[in-house]
Amino acid sequence: MTKETHIAKTVWQWGKRTYIMGILNVTPDSFSDGGRYLNVDKAVAQALRMASEGADIIDIGAESTKPGYAPISSEEELDRLLPVIQRLRAETDLVLSVDTYKVRTAELALASGAHMINDIWGLKREKGMATLVAASKAPVCIMHNRNNTTYHNLMEDILSDLSQSIAIALKAGVQEEQIILDPGIGFAKTVAQNLEVMKHLERLKSLGFPVLLGASRKSFIGKSLGLDVQDRLEGTLATTAIGISKGVDIIRVHDVVQNVRVAKMTDLLVRD
């Protein structure tokens, strides 16, 4: 596996410890915190709070990707994103990721100071994303996604889909050390399929890249436990511990301080 990745001025050494990605949604309609951080001052304050709690990187998203979401234009996405990125870069040294699958959004976000792209369509939605990432030399998180929940063999199909995305990246000139993989929990998967992926996360390591897990507060936890979104912390913490035990390198979460504690303890138990 790639041993390390340079993100901004930091060097992430894979296998040494678990890294924490804090979620910052500057959207009116995200499933968990929609509307809470639309104001730039509130968004900046939340990013700083998550960093103080131990987040290594802040992932900023301006388009909700909850099930049944309504896509927005790149212009609207940028109107929400850029003021937050610009303020954070001007006033802090936080490491910033941008959650987008749109080439124009990614291009201007990187130009404004973002350090990483998190693409929920694994470089497959818009042509040119892989080329942009290659030219920028920024890390990219390639997430598994598809348009339906029909699989012949769930894990084999996920590995095949991700391999296709990896091939797209490498063909465009993306370097191996730029690539991070995400199994896409909550995307194009039923509750049972999400649970199955969680049980077999270690299989993603066979592809040779660091793995990010984004299960925080998602509906498969709520449906499994019969809980509303505000009551899914403990379920999320269970996925964090299990994920780390199965080789996950980055945990993408809403509740930073609690997940940092679980990650540190799990690291002590499972890492050399």
Side-chain angles (χ1 to χ4, degrees), residues 23 31 198 213-218 220-222 225 227 229 231-243 251-255 258-259 262:
I23 300 168
F31 80 94
M198 285 296 310
L213 177 65
S216 182
R217 300 184 187 173
K218 287 189 173 173
F220 85 102
I221 297 173
L225 300 177
L227 296 174
V229 66
D231 295 320
R232 298 174 187 170
L233 174 59
E234 295 88 350
T236 297
L237 297 177
T239 67
T240 294
I242 291 295
I251 304 290
R252 182 180 183 273
V253 296
H254 300 85
D255 305 289
Q258 297 92 337
N259 280 279
V262 168

Side-chain angles (χ1 to χ4, degrees), residues 78 81-90 96 98 104-115:
L78 287 163
L81 270 177
L82 294 188
V84 177
I85 295 171
Q86 290 162 355
R87 274 279 302 279
L88 286 171
R89 284 310 309 275
L96 306 178
V98 170
R104 177 168 171 76
T105 301
E107 181 180 16
L108 293 182
L110 290 168
S112 296
H115 305 106

Side-chain angles (χ1 to χ4, degrees), residues 10 72 81 89 99 109 122 125 140 147 149 160 168 223 228 235 243 254 268:
T10 62
I72 62 173
L81 270 177
R89 284 310 309 275
D99 183 353
R125 195 56 174 288
V140 60
N147 291 314
T149 59
S160 176
I168 290 169
K223 291 175 181 177
D228 291 333
H254 300 85
L268 289 172

Side-chain angles (χ1 to χ4, degrees), residues 119 121-124 126 128-135 138-143 161-181 209:
D119 184 348
W121 282 101
L123 307 178
K124 294 178 179 178
E126 288 199 5
M129 182 65 93
T131 301
L132 172 68
V133 168
V140 60
C141 183
I142 294 172
M143 197 191 82
D161 290 350
L162 284 171
S163 294
Q164 292 171 12
S165 289
I166 293 166
I168 290 169
L170 296 177
K171 184 178 180 180
V174 178
Q175 300 300 302
E176 288 190 357
E177 57 267 25
Q178 292 174 251
I179 297 173
I180 297 164
L181 303 180
F209 297 94

